[in-house]
């Protein structure tokens, strides 16, 4: 049984989504080849000799990049069985079938992939994902059939490029090799735009701390000095998070890490922030998305603009850098609202904390998205675009869409520039589009008490979605 696992993109990280199923398949006796096509060329001889080829689709960009590779593999090896797995696989099952994929798996896939390789499989599909029409998506909470509980294995990273080939941690003008792991999967929440929601439907699964530590131990042996925890929300299980970071620091007291946590969780579990700092957490990524309370309510984010400000202050009190992410361009964004967002970023002294690409992100309406619950979204979007892998929409104010395109181009042209320089360019563009004086609306920076600006650590992958 010869199985090839392929990844096209995973945010500049060594793909955990290949390493974990590789461990399961190898334990089951399969001959497994893993290839990360963001770092390697497709080995056509390997593709020709495969019995099964599985494509990892964790995100939008990865799925778009995978489609021509699927076609190429199908042409090279018409007899191979092809499947796809990851968050973007089941919602796009119809489109993937048209490219020759005959099974899709979205949540807790490892055991399913073993059965598929053995020839025992069915096709998983997220109910309500139509691939063609913008009808209302069913409430994910009504579809909450239990997701499998796996006896996790330590990921097997043999055959992948080493951690030094991937995005690194930038800190104080130095570069540190970064690894990646997951201590939990899924999410308890139902944010309308999140791709985790249609697949996990409010459920989480925790990975035993011993398995997480073994995976980290192997990456440290390969040169990693920093670890990114890729959990959708590290505080979905706060007790598990506490156990994990305590054990991590006990074994690797000099290892640093970063996590992703919701605004509401940072406020609710603020008693754990000191523990994060003391166990080596350098920064916390958090999905702010907007500082407009109406947009936040529409996206069902569970926090307000005031909560964001409280969280910024709280993290500073605990000497934790915050790395906010945004979806600044939505159907409800106005030019004035965009300028208000930029003003808030400056006022809160977050310019150096925000990756420039975050200033140009546009709301993606993908298959299975809870955004399709909204009548105004269903009215606004066009037919599903199989090339863009999304339902296209145009803002009612054409200037907003034009600004977004110019900002994305500006960020791309100045990828090597400092964050402050790019921010200033974006600020002036926004003021130009809104016919505003760029020097009149600059909100002064507001700092808490004894806050002192320090260099902000970050991972140097320039893209995001």
């Amino acid at each position: 049984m010869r199985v090839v696992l392929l990844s096209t993109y995973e945010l500049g990280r060594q793909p955990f989504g290949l390493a974990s199923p590789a461990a399961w398949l190898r334990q089951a006796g399969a001959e497994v080849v893993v290839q990360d096509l963001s770092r390697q060329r497709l080995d056509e001889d390997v593709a020709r000799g495969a019995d099964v080829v599985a494509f990892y689709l964790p995100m939008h960009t990865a799925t778009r990049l995978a489609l021509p590779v699927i076609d190429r593999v199908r042409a090279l090896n018409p007899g191979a069985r092809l499947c796809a797995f990851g968050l973007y696989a089941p919602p796009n099952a119809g489109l993937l079938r048209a490219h020759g994929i005959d099974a899709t798996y979205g949540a807790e896939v490892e055991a399913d992939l073993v059965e598929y390789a053995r020839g025992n499989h069915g096709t998983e599909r997220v109910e309500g994902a139509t691939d063609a029409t913008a009808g209302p998506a069913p409430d994910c909470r009504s579809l909450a059939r239990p997701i499998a509980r796996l006896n996790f294995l330590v990921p097997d990273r043999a055959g992948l490029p080493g951690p030094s080939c991937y995005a690194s941690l930038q800190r104080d003008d130095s570069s540190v090799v970064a690894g990646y792991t997951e201590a939990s999967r899924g999410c308890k929440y139902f944010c309308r735009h999140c791709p985790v929601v249609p697949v996990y439907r409010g459920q989480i699964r925790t990975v035993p701390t011993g398995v997480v530590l073994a995976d980290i131990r192997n990456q440290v042996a390969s040169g990693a000095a920093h670890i990114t925890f890729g959990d959708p929300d590290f505080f979905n299980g706060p007790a598990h998070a506490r156990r994990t970071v305590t054990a991590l620091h006990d074994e690797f007291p000099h290892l640093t890490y970063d996590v992703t946590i919701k605004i509401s969780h940072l406020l609710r579990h603020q008693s754990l922030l000191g523990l994060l700092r003391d166990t080596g957490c350098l920064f916390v990524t958090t999905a702010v998305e907007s500082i407009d309370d109406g947009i936040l309510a529409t996206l069902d984010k569970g926090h307000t603009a005031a909560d964001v400000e409280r969280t910024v202050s709280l993290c500073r009190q605990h000497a934790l850098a915050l790395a906010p992410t945004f979806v600044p361009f939505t159907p409800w964004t106005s030019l004035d609202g965009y300028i208000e967002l930029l003003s808030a970023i400056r006022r809160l002294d977050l310019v150096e904390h925000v990756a420039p690409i975050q200033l140009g992100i546009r709301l993606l309406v993908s298959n299975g998205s809870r955004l399709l619950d909204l009548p105004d979204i269903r009215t606004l979007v066009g037919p599903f675009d199989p090339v863009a892998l999304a339902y296209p929409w145009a803002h009612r104010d054409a200037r907003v869409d034009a600004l977004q395109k110019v900002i994305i181009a500006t960020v791309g042209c100045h990828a090597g520039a400092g964050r402050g320089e790019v921010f200033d360019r974006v600020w002036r563009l926004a003021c130009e589009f809104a016919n505003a004086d760029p020097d009149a609306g600059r909100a002064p920076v507001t700092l808490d008490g004894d806050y002192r600006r320090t260099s902000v650590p970050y991972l140097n992958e320039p893209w995001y979605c």
Side-chain angles (χ1 to χ4, degrees):
M1 180 169 55
R2 291 164 295 180
V3 180
V4 176
L5 301 176
L6 296 179
S7 173
T8 54
Y9 180 63
E10 195 178 2
L11 285 172
R13 304 161 175 160
Q14 188 189 62
F16 182 94
L18 298 191
S20 184
W24 285 68
L25 287 158
R26 285 168 177 153
Q27 180 175 272
E31 176 188 339
V32 180
V33 175
V34 290
Q35 283 206 277
D36 178 2
L37 302 186
S38 74
R39 298 295 186 272
Q40 303 166 294
R41 294 179 62 86
L42 175 68
D43 188 324
E44 295 189 349
D45 289 336
V46 168
R48 288 189 186 97
D51 299 307
V52 170
V53 183
F55 297 84
Y56 177 46
L57 310 178
M59 55 198 306
H60 181 255
T61 297
T63 308
R64 292 188 66 183
L65 292 173
L67 292 176
V69 181
I70 294 170
D71 294 341
R72 181 61 181 152
V73 169
R74 171 57 69 211
L76 289 169
N77 188 349
R81 292 185 295 118
L82 310 185
C83 70
F85 64 102
L87 295 179
Y88 271 76
N92 292 291
L95 175 64
L96 292 167
R97 282 199 300 272
H99 284 263
I101 296 292
D102 65 10
T104 55
Y105 305 102
E108 307 307 283
V109 301
E110 287 85 347
D112 289 329
L113 290 175
V114 170
E115 290 305 304
Y116 179 84
R118 289 171 171 164
N120 307 318
H121 71 278
T123 297
E124 177 185 293
R125 182 175 172 81
V126 172
E127 296 92 333
T130 64
D131 296 319
T133 62
D139 189 334
C140 295
R141 284 161 282 205
S142 70
L143 302 174
R145 68 180 186 275
I147 288 172
R149 295 184 181 274
L150 303 178
N151 293 318
F152 291 98
L153 301 178
V154 178
D156 186 342
R157 299 173 182 272
L160 287 169
S164 63
C165 297
Y166 292 89
S168 59
L169 175 78
Q170 305 299 302
R171 183 186 185 193
D172 298 328
D173 298 322
S174 64
S175 181
V176 174
V177 174
Y180 174 90
T181 195
E182 297 176 4
S184 65
R185 299 171 172 180
C187 187
K188 294 178 179 179
Y189 296 91
F190 292 85
C191 302
R192 288 193 186 278
H193 59 307
C194 178
V196 177
V197 172
V199 174
Y200 275 88
R201 303 180 298 279
Q203 300 172 74
I204 64 167
R205 294 292 179 264
T206 57
V207 183
T209 296
V211 174
V212 177
L213 283 181
D215 186 33
I216 292 172
R217 194 176 297 125
N218 291 338
Q219 294 180 75
V220 170
S222 296
H226 176 89
I227 294 293
T228 291
F229 283 96
D231 311 39
D233 193 305
F234 196 64
F235 279 177
N236 265 323
H240 179 60
R242 178 194 291 273
R243 287 192 298 271
T244 299
V245 298
T246 300
L248 173 67
H249 187 65
D250 286 346
E251 182 168 352
F252 301 106
H254 302 296
L255 191 71
T256 59
Y257 65 91
D258 66 272
V259 294
T260 297
I261 303 173
K262 282 174 64 71
I263 291 287
S264 58
H265 275 172
L266 289 168
L267 294 174
R268 185 177 308 147
H269 303 298
Q270 57 185 273
S271 63
L272 294 177
L273 299 188
L275 176 67
L276 293 182
R277 176 200 61 221
D278 294 343
T279 54
C281 184
L282 291 184
F283 63 93
V284 177
T285 300
T286 190
V288 171
E289 315 301 39
S290 176
I291 50 92
D292 181 302
D293 283 342
I295 294 175
L296 290 170
T298 299
L299 296 179
D300 204 3
K301 282 301 301 176
H303 67 255
T304 65
D307 291 334
V308 174
E309 298 210 12
R310 283 194 291 271
T311 301
V312 171
S313 177
L314 185 64
C315 286
R316 284 193 176 135
Q317 290 171 28
H318 288 85
L320 281 176
L322 205 62
T325 63
F326 297 96
V327 183
F329 288 94
T330 74
W332 313 284
T333 301
S334 66
L335 289 178
D336 288 344
Y338 184 72
I339 290 174
E340 288 174 8
L341 172 64
L342 297 181
S343 295
I345 291 172
R346 176 182 282 118
R347 175 172 54 80
L348 296 171
D349 198 25
L350 292 173
V351 170
E352 295 295 334
H353 296 242
V354 178
I357 189 62
Q358 294 298 321
L359 304 176
I361 297 291
R362 192 172 189 270
L363 184 68
L364 182 74
V365 184
S366 57
N367 262 325
S369 172
R370 287 192 65 225
L371 289 165
L372 295 170
D373 297 347
L374 302 173
D376 56 339
I377 285 289
R378 296 200 302 271
T379 300
L380 183 65
V381 301
F384 183 79
D385 183 341
V387 176
L389 288 182
Y391 293 97
W393 60 271
H395 200 285
R396 294 178 176 88
D397 182 348
R399 297 176 301 166
V400 176
D401 283 343
L403 174 61
Q404 188 268 338
K405 291 176 182 177
V406 172
I407 289 173
I408 286 293
T410 299
V411 170
C413 289
H414 297 87
R419 290 182 172 185
E421 177 185 338
V422 177
F423 183 91
D424 285 342
R425 289 178 182 273
V426 169
W427 170 261
R428 292 189 174 276
L429 283 169
C431 290
E432 178 184 335
F433 271 75
N435 293 317
D437 181 352
D439 297 318
R442 289 178 176 268
V445 171
T446 58
L447 303 179
D448 301 317
D450 61 352
Y451 168 68
R452 298 290 183 271
R453 186 195 306 263
T454 59
S455 61
V456 181
Y458 65 94
L459 296 172
N460 66 347
E461 173 64 17
W463 202 244
Y464 181 70
C465 60

